[in-house]
Amino acid sequence: MTGVELILAALATGAAAGVSESAGSAVRDAYAGLRDALRRRSSVETGEDDAETRELLQAEEIEPGLWETRLRGRLVETGADRDEDVLAAARLLLERADAAGARQVHYEVNADQAKGVQIGDHNTQSNTFS
């Protein structure tokens, strides 16, 4: 995953979590932290408050495809896609948003020489061995 893809995924995740009642404060804080890191990076690059980046980070009415295209270009222009502080903030947001542990391994199973085995959640199995 490129830096741009990582940041876009984190922003989309944060935006979706931000409107969710179940999003914890850790996710909302990480989302705010990423947006702040992007604003800082943009200000460093341009030498002033960057209205275009600020607008893109607040854009809710812009069509998603247009938003992504404009923001993708802005991330590259400002070097945010290579800024370790920004990338760390994006990773933190994605990590905190993964409350269900979707990326974690649930099982480590060695079924060598096993018979009649099912691995996973909520299984039902009936076996008859002769």
Side-chain angles (χ1 to χ4, degrees), residues 10-30:
L11 286 171
T13 299
V19 298
S20 168
E21 294 284 327
S22 64
S25 64
V27 173
R28 286 190 294 273
D29 291 348

Side-chain angles (χ1 to χ4, degrees), residues 74-90:
R74 199 73 193 129
L75 293 172
V76 172
E77 283 175 32
T78 61
D81 63 324
R82 299 175 304 280
D83 185 297
E84 281 306 314
D85 290 338
V86 171
L87 296 175

Side-chain angles (χ1 to χ4, degrees), residues 7 10 12 15 36 38 52 62 66 74 81 83 85 98 111 121:
I7 295 166
D36 289 345
L38 287 166
E52 183 179 354
I62 295 177
L66 177 60
R74 199 73 193 129
D81 63 324
D83 185 297
D85 290 338
D98 186 26
D121 294 329

Side-chain angles (χ1 to χ4, degrees), residues 104-127:
Q104 292 180 350
V105 175
H106 291 278
Y107 304 99
E108 188 173 319
V109 177
N110 180 349
D112 188 39
Q113 300 181 22
K115 296 178 182 171
V117 175
Q118 286 189 345
I119 300 170
D121 294 329
H122 313 294
N123 293 322
T124 302
Q125 179 173 334
S126 298
N127 295 330

Side-chain angles (χ1 to χ4, degrees), residues 24 34 39 49 55 57 62 70 79 87-88 96 110-111 115:
L34 173 58
R39 283 189 204 99
D49 183 32
E55 177 189 324
L57 291 174
I62 295 177
R70 288 180 58 199
L87 296 175
R96 287 186 177 173
N110 180 349
K115 296 178 182 171

